[in-house]
Amino acid sequence: MRKQIGILALNVISEGFNLRTYILLFRHLLLFSLLLPHLVFSQKNYQPGYIITPAKDTVEGYIDYRNWSYSPNSIRFVKELGSEPVAYGTSDILGFQVNQEHYFSGEVDIEISSRNVNTLDYEIAENLERVNGFLRALVMGEKWLLYLKPQAKAENFYIKKDDQFELLLYKKYFSYKDGEPVMRENRTFLGQLTLYLNDCDKIEGELSRVNYSTKSLVSLFRAYNKCRPGALSYEGKEETITTETAVF
């Protein structure tokens, strides 16, 4: 329809005033203006969900689900379809659930060093930055696994201790060996996980093989929960948690 309006407008400009063209243009503009609110709303994707208020109350409604490729900083929520949406950020709510995905707000550290082999630095120490974000839960139960993926940055993974989210520390870097740069990994997260999951000695093999990726970490927690029947209360959908991590 926008193309048709454009053609009619060009006809008015090039041919001068023409009553028939003017009427057609007016009709198209009127129809477009009537359809515009419906077109805009149809571009949204409101799915049943709920938000968790600072008082820890659950408010059910609909959330504009965007199938986020990176962690959202805010969401749009309505109690009833067609009502005016309200935007909520990380300081407004404790979390939300939509499309069987659970998100929790928190102030956390992220490791911001590049993981691209072409832009690695030569420092083993982590380069941390404090941010607020909605962390997505991959596994919930006695032991939690979550992740946060800021825009244009790699994923960071977390465990939950009491009410705090602890960053699992990982970094790629270069060091010199025989005068040549060699890529190495700071895998502090292995020690953190060994302590965190220390009540199951059947996962030593999984721990020795685990990588800093969604698929590998979820597999480790899955093995832990087999060792601890009843420990699992939620695991994210397979098709949405096993995608490859982008490299920045």
PDB file of all heavy atoms in Angstrom, residues 146-175:
ATOM      1  N   LEU A 146      22.848 -19.850  34.773  1.00  0.00           N
ATOM      2  CA  LEU A 146      22.233 -18.750  34.047  1.00  0.00           C
ATOM      3  C   LEU A 146      23.238 -18.154  33.086  1.00  0.00           C
ATOM      4  O   LEU A 146      24.450 -18.397  33.198  1.00  0.00           O
ATOM      5  CB  LEU A 146      21.736 -17.651  34.993  1.00  0.00           C
ATOM      6  CG  LEU A 146      20.860 -18.067  36.179  1.00  0.00           C
ATOM      7  CD1 LEU A 146      21.722 -18.230  37.434  1.00  0.00           C
ATOM      8  CD2 LEU A 146      19.763 -17.044  36.448  1.00  0.00           C
ATOM      9  N   TYR A 147      22.747 -17.353  32.139  1.00  0.00           N
ATOM     10  CA  TYR A 147      23.680 -16.639  31.281  1.00  0.00           C
ATOM     11  C   TYR A 147      23.182 -15.240  30.967  1.00  0.00           C
ATOM     12  O   TYR A 147      21.995 -14.938  31.035  1.00  0.00           O
ATOM     13  CB  TYR A 147      23.995 -17.417  30.003  1.00  0.00           C
ATOM     14  CG  TYR A 147      23.016 -17.253  28.853  1.00  0.00           C
ATOM     15  CD1 TYR A 147      23.141 -16.204  27.951  1.00  0.00           C
ATOM     16  CD2 TYR A 147      22.002 -18.178  28.644  1.00  0.00           C
ATOM     17  CE1 TYR A 147      22.270 -16.076  26.882  1.00  0.00           C
ATOM     18  CE2 TYR A 147      21.130 -18.053  27.582  1.00  0.00           C
ATOM     19  CZ  TYR A 147      21.269 -16.997  26.699  1.00  0.00           C
ATOM     20  OH  TYR A 147      20.405 -16.868  25.642  1.00  0.00           O
ATOM     21  N   LEU A 148      24.131 -14.399  30.624  1.00  0.00           N
ATOM     22  CA  LEU A 148      23.863 -13.027  30.206  1.00  0.00           C
ATOM     23  C   LEU A 148      24.701 -12.768  28.965  1.00  0.00           C
ATOM     24  O   LEU A 148      25.903 -13.030  28.961  1.00  0.00           O
ATOM     25  CB  LEU A 148      24.243 -12.039  31.312  1.00  0.00           C
ATOM     26  CG  LEU A 148      23.984 -10.555  31.013  1.00  0.00           C
ATOM     27  CD1 LEU A 148      22.479 -10.268  31.008  1.00  0.00           C
ATOM     28  CD2 LEU A 148      24.680  -9.671  32.037  1.00  0.00           C
ATOM     29  N   LYS A 149      24.062 -12.275  27.926  1.00  0.00           N
ATOM     30  CA  LYS A 149      24.770 -11.969  26.691  1.00  0.00           C
ATOM     31  C   LYS A 149      24.489 -10.523  26.310  1.00  0.00           C
ATOM     32  O   LYS A 149      23.501 -10.225  25.635  1.00  0.00           O
ATOM     33  CB  LYS A 149      24.354 -12.908  25.556  1.00  0.00           C
ATOM     34  CG  LYS A 149      25.185 -12.716  24.293  1.00  0.00           C
ATOM     35  CD  LYS A 149      24.727 -13.649  23.192  1.00  0.00           C
ATOM     36  CE  LYS A 149      25.632 -13.520  21.966  1.00  0.00           C
ATOM     37  NZ  LYS A 149      25.701 -12.135  21.457  1.00  0.00           N
ATOM     38  N   PRO A 150      25.347  -9.591  26.745  1.00  0.00           N
ATOM     39  CA  PRO A 150      25.157  -8.197  26.343  1.00  0.00           C
ATOM     40  C   PRO A 150      25.320  -8.048  24.830  1.00  0.00           C
ATOM     41  O   PRO A 150      25.990  -8.854  24.175  1.00  0.00           O
ATOM     42  CB  PRO A 150      26.273  -7.460  27.096  1.00  0.00           C
ATOM     43  CG  PRO A 150      26.680  -8.389  28.190  1.00  0.00           C
ATOM     44  CD  PRO A 150      26.478  -9.764  27.644  1.00  0.00           C
ATOM     45  N   GLN A 151      24.713  -7.014  24.300  1.00  0.00           N
ATOM     46  CA  GLN A 151      24.812  -6.773  22.865  1.00  0.00           C
ATOM     47  C   GLN A 151      26.269  -6.572  22.456  1.00  0.00           C
ATOM     48  O   GLN A 151      27.028  -5.873  23.112  1.00  0.00           O
ATOM     49  CB  GLN A 151      23.992  -5.533  22.480  1.00  0.00           C
ATOM     50  CG  GLN A 151      23.820  -5.347  20.983  1.00  0.00           C
ATOM     51  CD  GLN A 151      22.831  -4.246  20.656  1.00  0.00           C
ATOM     52  OE1 GLN A 151      22.392  -3.517  21.528  1.00  0.00           O
ATOM     53  NE2 GLN A 151      22.473  -4.124  19.384  1.00  0.00           N
ATOM     54  N   ALA A 152      26.661  -7.224  21.353  1.00  0.00           N
ATOM     55  CA  ALA A 152      28.015  -7.114  20.792  1.00  0.00           C
ATOM     56  C   ALA A 152      29.088  -7.661  21.724  1.00  0.00           C
ATOM     57  O   ALA A 152      30.261  -7.307  21.617  1.00  0.00           O
ATOM     58  CB  ALA A 152      28.341  -5.674  20.414  1.00  0.00           C
ATOM     59  N   LYS A 153      28.704  -8.548  22.647  1.00  0.00           N
ATOM     60  CA  LYS A 153      29.683  -9.187  23.522  1.00  0.00           C
ATOM     61  C   LYS A 153      29.362 -10.682  23.615  1.00  0.00           C
ATOM     62  O   LYS A 153      28.269 -11.124  23.281  1.00  0.00           O
ATOM     63  CB  LYS A 153      29.681  -8.549  24.914  1.00  0.00           C
ATOM     64  CG  LYS A 153      30.258  -7.134  24.952  1.00  0.00           C
ATOM     65  CD  LYS A 153      30.312  -6.599  26.356  1.00  0.00           C
ATOM     66  CE  LYS A 153      31.054  -5.273  26.419  1.00  0.00           C
ATOM     67  NZ  LYS A 153      30.419  -4.216  25.629  1.00  0.00           N
ATOM     68  N   ALA A 154      30.344 -11.442  24.066  1.00  0.00           N
ATOM     69  CA  ALA A 154      30.151 -12.885  24.199  1.00  0.00           C
ATOM     70  C   ALA A 154      29.320 -13.214  25.435  1.00  0.00           C
ATOM     71  O   ALA A 154      29.131 -12.375  26.324  1.00  0.00           O
ATOM     72  CB  ALA A 154      31.511 -13.580  24.273  1.00  0.00           C
ATOM     73  N   GLU A 155      28.843 -14.449  25.505  1.00  0.00           N
ATOM     74  CA  GLU A 155      28.046 -14.886  26.641  1.00  0.00           C
ATOM     75  C   GLU A 155      28.895 -14.998  27.900  1.00  0.00           C
ATOM     76  O   GLU A 155      30.057 -15.384  27.853  1.00  0.00           O
ATOM     77  CB  GLU A 155      27.407 -16.244  26.335  1.00  0.00           C
ATOM     78  CG  GLU A 155      26.286 -16.184  25.315  1.00  0.00           C
ATOM     79  CD  GLU A 155      25.757 -17.560  24.976  1.00  0.00           C
ATOM     80  OE1 GLU A 155      26.549 -18.523  24.997  1.00  0.00           O
ATOM     81  OE2 GLU A 155      24.569 -17.672  24.693  1.00  0.00           O
ATOM     82  N   ASN A 156      28.271 -14.671  29.029  1.00  0.00           N
ATOM     83  CA  ASN A 156      28.848 -14.898  30.346  1.00  0.00           C
ATOM     84  C   ASN A 156      27.882 -15.805  31.106  1.00  0.00           C
ATOM     85  O   ASN A 156      26.658 -15.621  31.050  1.00  0.00           O
ATOM     86  CB  ASN A 156      29.023 -13.581  31.103  1.00  0.00           C
ATOM     87  CG  ASN A 156      30.193 -12.759  30.598  1.00  0.00           C
ATOM     88  OD1 ASN A 156      31.260 -12.723  31.196  1.00  0.00           O
ATOM     89  ND2 ASN A 156      30.010 -12.091  29.464  1.00  0.00           N
ATOM     90  N   PHE A 157      28.435 -16.771  31.836  1.00  0.00           N
ATOM     91  CA  PHE A 157      27.619 -17.736  32.556  1.00  0.00           C
ATOM     92  C   PHE A 157      27.748 -17.531  34.062  1.00  0.00           C
ATOM     93  O   PHE A 157      28.795 -17.074  34.559  1.00  0.00           O
ATOM     94  CB  PHE A 157      28.034 -19.160  32.184  1.00  0.00           C
ATOM     95  CG  PHE A 157      27.766 -19.483  30.738  1.00  0.00           C
ATOM     96  CD1 PHE A 157      28.746 -19.285  29.789  1.00  0.00           C
ATOM     97  CD2 PHE A 157      26.532 -19.973  30.342  1.00  0.00           C
ATOM     98  CE1 PHE A 157      28.507 -19.572  28.447  1.00  0.00           C
ATOM     99  CE2 PHE A 157      26.280 -20.265  29.008  1.00  0.00           C
ATOM    100  CZ  PHE A 157      27.275 -20.056  28.062  1.00  0.00           C
ATOM    101  N   TYR A 158      26.678 -17.909  34.786  1.00  0.00           N
ATOM    102  CA  TYR A 158      26.592 -17.624  36.220  1.00  0.00           C
ATOM    103  C   TYR A 158      26.026 -18.814  36.977  1.00  0.00           C
ATOM    104  O   TYR A 158      25.248 -19.605  36.432  1.00  0.00           O
ATOM    105  CB  TYR A 158      25.682 -16.410  36.473  1.00  0.00           C
ATOM    106  CG  TYR A 158      26.174 -15.151  35.787  1.00  0.00           C
ATOM    107  CD1 TYR A 158      25.883 -14.933  34.440  1.00  0.00           C
ATOM    108  CD2 TYR A 158      26.935 -14.209  36.461  1.00  0.00           C
ATOM    109  CE1 TYR A 158      26.346 -13.807  33.788  1.00  0.00           C
ATOM    110  CE2 TYR A 158      27.395 -13.078  35.819  1.00  0.00           C
ATOM    111  CZ  TYR A 158      27.111 -12.882  34.484  1.00  0.00           C
ATOM    112  OH  TYR A 158      27.583 -11.771  33.843  1.00  0.00           O
ATOM    113  N   ILE A 159      26.410 -18.914  38.236  1.00  0.00           N
ATOM    114  CA  ILE A 159      25.768 -19.818  39.174  1.00  0.00           C
ATOM    115  C   ILE A 159      25.104 -18.960  40.240  1.00  0.00           C
ATOM    116  O   ILE A 159      25.451 -17.784  40.413  1.00  0.00           O
ATOM    117  CB  ILE A 159      26.775 -20.802  39.809  1.00  0.00           C
ATOM    118  CG1 ILE A 159      27.986 -20.050  40.399  1.00  0.00           C
ATOM    119  CG2 ILE A 159      27.228 -21.832  38.786  1.00  0.00           C
ATOM    120  CD1 ILE A 159      29.008 -20.940  41.083  1.00  0.00           C
ATOM    121  N   LYS A 160      24.135 -19.534  40.928  1.00  0.00           N
ATOM    122  CA  LYS A 160      23.412 -18.789  41.956  1.00  0.00           C
ATOM    123  C   LYS A 160      23.801 -19.299  43.327  1.00  0.00           C
ATOM    124  O   LYS A 160      23.693 -20.501  43.603  1.00  0.00           O
ATOM    125  CB  LYS A 160      21.901 -18.915  41.752  1.00  0.00           C
ATOM    126  CG  LYS A 160      21.083 -18.062  42.727  1.00  0.00           C
ATOM    127  CD  LYS A 160      19.592 -18.245  42.509  1.00  0.00           C
ATOM    128  CE  LYS A 160      18.796 -17.388  43.479  1.00  0.00           C
ATOM    129  NZ  LYS A 160      17.340 -17.616  43.352  1.00  0.00           N
ATOM    130  N   LYS A 161      24.247 -18.380  44.173  1.00  0.00           N
ATOM    131  CA  LYS A 161      24.570 -18.700  45.555  1.00  0.00           C
ATOM    132  C   LYS A 161      23.734 -17.799  46.451  1.00  0.00           C
ATOM    133  O   LYS A 161      23.902 -16.586  46.427  1.00  0.00           O
ATOM    134  CB  LYS A 161      26.065 -18.498  45.831  1.00  0.00           C
ATOM    135  CG  LYS A 161      26.960 -19.509  45.142  1.00  0.00           C
ATOM    136  CD  LYS A 161      28.412 -19.311  45.559  1.00  0.00           C
ATOM    137  CE  LYS A 161      29.314 -20.396  45.002  1.00  0.00           C
ATOM    138  NZ  LYS A 161      30.727 -20.207  45.423  1.00  0.00           N
ATOM    139  N   ASP A 162      22.840 -18.415  47.231  1.00  0.00           N
ATOM    140  CA  ASP A 162      21.855 -17.660  48.010  1.00  0.00           C
ATOM    141  C   ASP A 162      21.061 -16.793  47.028  1.00  0.00           C
ATOM    142  O   ASP A 162      20.445 -17.301  46.123  1.00  0.00           O
ATOM    143  CB  ASP A 162      22.534 -16.846  49.101  1.00  0.00           C
ATOM    144  CG  ASP A 162      23.271 -17.739  50.099  1.00  0.00           C
ATOM    145  OD1 ASP A 162      22.749 -18.820  50.426  1.00  0.00           O
ATOM    146  OD2 ASP A 162      24.385 -17.371  50.523  1.00  0.00           O
ATOM    147  N   ASP A 163      21.105 -15.482  47.173  1.00  0.00           N
ATOM    148  CA  ASP A 163      20.370 -14.599  46.260  1.00  0.00           C
ATOM    149  C   ASP A 163      21.310 -13.853  45.318  1.00  0.00           C
ATOM    150  O   ASP A 163      20.909 -12.879  44.679  1.00  0.00           O
ATOM    151  CB  ASP A 163      19.538 -13.582  47.055  1.00  0.00           C
ATOM    152  CG  ASP A 163      18.372 -14.247  47.780  1.00  0.00           C
ATOM    153  OD1 ASP A 163      17.837 -15.233  47.236  1.00  0.00           O
ATOM    154  OD2 ASP A 163      18.011 -13.786  48.877  1.00  0.00           O
ATOM    155  N   GLN A 164      22.556 -14.307  45.211  1.00  0.00           N
ATOM    156  CA  GLN A 164      23.544 -13.628  44.388  1.00  0.00           C
ATOM    157  C   GLN A 164      23.904 -14.478  43.174  1.00  0.00           C
ATOM    158  O   GLN A 164      23.940 -15.704  43.237  1.00  0.00           O
ATOM    159  CB  GLN A 164      24.807 -13.340  45.216  1.00  0.00           C
ATOM    160  CG  GLN A 164      24.565 -12.477  46.450  1.00  0.00           C
ATOM    161  CD  GLN A 164      24.051 -11.088  46.093  1.00  0.00           C
ATOM    162  OE1 GLN A 164      24.585 -10.436  45.200  1.00  0.00           O
ATOM    163  NE2 GLN A 164      23.019 -10.644  46.799  1.00  0.00           N
ATOM    164  N   PHE A 165      24.190 -13.789  42.066  1.00  0.00           N
ATOM    165  CA  PHE A 165      24.642 -14.450  40.849  1.00  0.00           C
ATOM    166  C   PHE A 165      26.151 -14.266  40.723  1.00  0.00           C
ATOM    167  O   PHE A 165      26.652 -13.138  40.674  1.00  0.00           O
ATOM    168  CB  PHE A 165      23.940 -13.872  39.620  1.00  0.00           C
ATOM    169  CG  PHE A 165      22.443 -13.973  39.673  1.00  0.00           C
ATOM    170  CD1 PHE A 165      21.650 -12.838  39.632  1.00  0.00           C
ATOM    171  CD2 PHE A 165      21.833 -15.215  39.779  1.00  0.00           C
ATOM    172  CE1 PHE A 165      20.281 -12.935  39.678  1.00  0.00           C
ATOM    173  CE2 PHE A 165      20.447 -15.319  39.827  1.00  0.00           C
ATOM    174  CZ  PHE A 165      19.667 -14.179  39.782  1.00  0.00           C
ATOM    175  N   GLU A 166      26.858 -15.388  40.685  1.00  0.00           N
ATOM    176  CA  GLU A 166      28.326 -15.362  40.636  1.00  0.00           C
ATOM    177  C   GLU A 166      28.809 -15.703  39.225  1.00  0.00           C
ATOM    178  O   GLU A 166      28.449 -16.742  38.667  1.00  0.00           O
ATOM    179  CB  GLU A 166      28.899 -16.363  41.634  1.00  0.00           C
ATOM    180  CG  GLU A 166      30.426 -16.432  41.635  1.00  0.00           C
ATOM    181  CD  GLU A 166      30.944 -17.473  42.602  1.00  0.00           C
ATOM    182  OE1 GLU A 166      30.460 -17.517  43.759  1.00  0.00           O
ATOM    183  OE2 GLU A 166      31.841 -18.265  42.203  1.00  0.00           O
ATOM    184  N   LEU A 167      29.621 -14.828  38.667  1.00  0.00           N
ATOM    185  CA  LEU A 167      30.148 -15.036  37.323  1.00  0.00           C
ATOM    186  C   LEU A 167      31.113 -16.219  37.310  1.00  0.00           C
ATOM    187  O   LEU A 167      32.025 -16.314  38.135  1.00  0.00           O
ATOM    188  CB  LEU A 167      30.874 -13.779  36.855  1.00  0.00           C
ATOM    189  CG  LEU A 167      31.654 -13.879  35.541  1.00  0.00           C
ATOM    190  CD1 LEU A 167      30.720 -14.151  34.363  1.00  0.00           C
ATOM    191  CD2 LEU A 167      32.464 -12.601  35.306  1.00  0.00           C
ATOM    192  N   LEU A 168      30.914 -17.130  36.361  1.00  0.00           N
ATOM    193  CA  LEU A 168      31.888 -18.186  36.108  1.00  0.00           C
ATOM    194  C   LEU A 168      32.995 -17.595  35.240  1.00  0.00           C
ATOM    195  O   LEU A 168      32.757 -17.180  34.106  1.00  0.00           O
ATOM    196  CB  LEU A 168      31.225 -19.369  35.401  1.00  0.00           C
ATOM    197  CG  LEU A 168      30.189 -20.143  36.236  1.00  0.00           C
ATOM    198  CD1 LEU A 168      29.507 -21.211  35.382  1.00  0.00           C
ATOM    199  CD2 LEU A 168      30.816 -20.762  37.473  1.00  0.00           C
ATOM    200  N   LEU A 169      34.196 -17.554  35.769  1.00  0.00           N
ATOM    201  CA  LEU A 169      35.288 -16.794  35.159  1.00  0.00           C
ATOM    202  C   LEU A 169      35.989 -17.587  34.059  1.00  0.00           C
ATOM    203  O   LEU A 169      36.398 -18.733  34.247  1.00  0.00           O
ATOM    204  CB  LEU A 169      36.299 -16.389  36.232  1.00  0.00           C
ATOM    205  CG  LEU A 169      35.749 -15.434  37.301  1.00  0.00           C
ATOM    206  CD1 LEU A 169      36.723 -15.336  38.474  1.00  0.00           C
ATOM    207  CD2 LEU A 169      35.495 -14.049  36.702  1.00  0.00           C
ATOM    208  N   TYR A 170      36.127 -16.924  32.924  1.00  0.00           N
ATOM    209  CA  TYR A 170      36.778 -17.539  31.769  1.00  0.00           C
ATOM    210  C   TYR A 170      37.337 -16.438  30.878  1.00  0.00           C
ATOM    211  O   TYR A 170      36.712 -15.393  30.683  1.00  0.00           O
ATOM    212  CB  TYR A 170      35.775 -18.382  30.982  1.00  0.00           C
ATOM    213  CG  TYR A 170      36.314 -18.928  29.676  1.00  0.00           C
ATOM    214  CD1 TYR A 170      37.155 -20.033  29.656  1.00  0.00           C
ATOM    215  CD2 TYR A 170      35.975 -18.332  28.464  1.00  0.00           C
ATOM    216  CE1 TYR A 170      37.655 -20.539  28.458  1.00  0.00           C
ATOM    217  CE2 TYR A 170      36.461 -18.833  27.264  1.00  0.00           C
ATOM    218  CZ  TYR A 170      37.300 -19.930  27.255  1.00  0.00           C
ATOM    219  OH  TYR A 170      37.789 -20.426  26.081  1.00  0.00           O
ATOM    220  N   LYS A 171      38.510 -16.709  30.331  1.00  0.00           N
ATOM    221  CA  LYS A 171      39.115 -15.741  29.414  1.00  0.00           C
ATOM    222  C   LYS A 171      40.097 -16.439  28.485  1.00  0.00           C
ATOM    223  O   LYS A 171      40.862 -17.306  28.912  1.00  0.00           O
ATOM    224  CB  LYS A 171      39.845 -14.640  30.190  1.00  0.00           C
ATOM    225  CG  LYS A 171      40.452 -13.569  29.300  1.00  0.00           C
ATOM    226  CD  LYS A 171      41.265 -12.543  30.076  1.00  0.00           C
ATOM    227  CE  LYS A 171      41.918 -11.555  29.133  1.00  0.00           C
ATOM    228  NZ  LYS A 171      42.773 -10.576  29.827  1.00  0.00           N
ATOM    229  N   LYS A 172      40.084 -16.049  27.213  1.00  0.00           N
ATOM    230  CA  LYS A 172      41.105 -16.453  26.261  1.00  0.00           C
ATOM    231  C   LYS A 172      42.172 -15.369  26.206  1.00  0.00           C
ATOM    232  O   LYS A 172      41.857 -14.173  26.270  1.00  0.00           O
ATOM    233  CB  LYS A 172      40.504 -16.649  24.868  1.00  0.00           C
ATOM    234  CG  LYS A 172      39.631 -17.872  24.701  1.00  0.00           C
ATOM    235  CD  LYS A 172      39.151 -17.979  23.259  1.00  0.00           C
ATOM    236  CE  LYS A 172      38.291 -19.216  23.041  1.00  0.00           C
ATOM    237  NZ  LYS A 172      37.827 -19.322  21.628  1.00  0.00           N
ATOM    238  N   TYR A 173      43.425 -15.787  26.056  1.00  0.00           N
ATOM    239  CA  TYR A 173      44.504 -14.803  25.981  1.00  0.00           C
ATOM    240  C   TYR A 173      45.707 -15.428  25.279  1.00  0.00           C
ATOM    241  O   TYR A 173      45.771 -16.646  25.058  1.00  0.00           O
ATOM    242  CB  TYR A 173      44.892 -14.324  27.379  1.00  0.00           C
ATOM    243  CG  TYR A 173      45.494 -15.391  28.260  1.00  0.00           C
ATOM    244  CD1 TYR A 173      46.878 -15.492  28.414  1.00  0.00           C
ATOM    245  CD2 TYR A 173      44.692 -16.318  28.923  1.00  0.00           C
ATOM    246  CE1 TYR A 173      47.441 -16.489  29.202  1.00  0.00           C
ATOM    247  CE2 TYR A 173      45.242 -17.310  29.713  1.00  0.00           C
ATOM    248  CZ  TYR A 173      46.620 -17.386  29.849  1.00  0.00           C
ATOM    249  OH  TYR A 173      47.168 -18.372  30.626  1.00  0.00           O
ATOM    250  N   PHE A 174      46.655 -14.596  24.950  1.00  0.00           N
ATOM    251  CA  PHE A 174      47.911 -15.053  24.357  1.00  0.00           C
ATOM    252  C   PHE A 174      49.029 -15.010  25.392  1.00  0.00           C
ATOM    253  O   PHE A 174      49.055 -14.138  26.272  1.00  0.00           O
ATOM    254  CB  PHE A 174      48.320 -14.164  23.177  1.00  0.00           C
ATOM    255  CG  PHE A 174      47.667 -14.527  21.868  1.00  0.00           C
ATOM    256  CD1 PHE A 174      47.086 -13.541  21.081  1.00  0.00           C
ATOM    257  CD2 PHE A 174      47.650 -15.830  21.396  1.00  0.00           C
ATOM    258  CE1 PHE A 174      46.496 -13.846  19.872  1.00  0.00           C
ATOM    259  CE2 PHE A 174      47.061 -16.153  20.193  1.00  0.00           C
ATOM    260  CZ  PHE A 174      46.486 -15.158  19.422  1.00  0.00           C
ATOM    261  N   SER A 175      49.951 -15.957  25.290  1.00  0.00           N
ATOM    262  CA  SER A 175      51.220 -15.878  26.009  1.00  0.00           C
ATOM    263  C   SER A 175      52.308 -16.347  25.046  1.00  0.00           C
ATOM    264  O   SER A 175      52.015 -16.962  24.021  1.00  0.00           O
ATOM    265  CB  SER A 175      51.198 -16.738  27.274  1.00  0.00           C
ATOM    266  OG  SER A 175      51.166 -18.114  26.939  1.00  0.00           O
TER     267      SER A 175
END
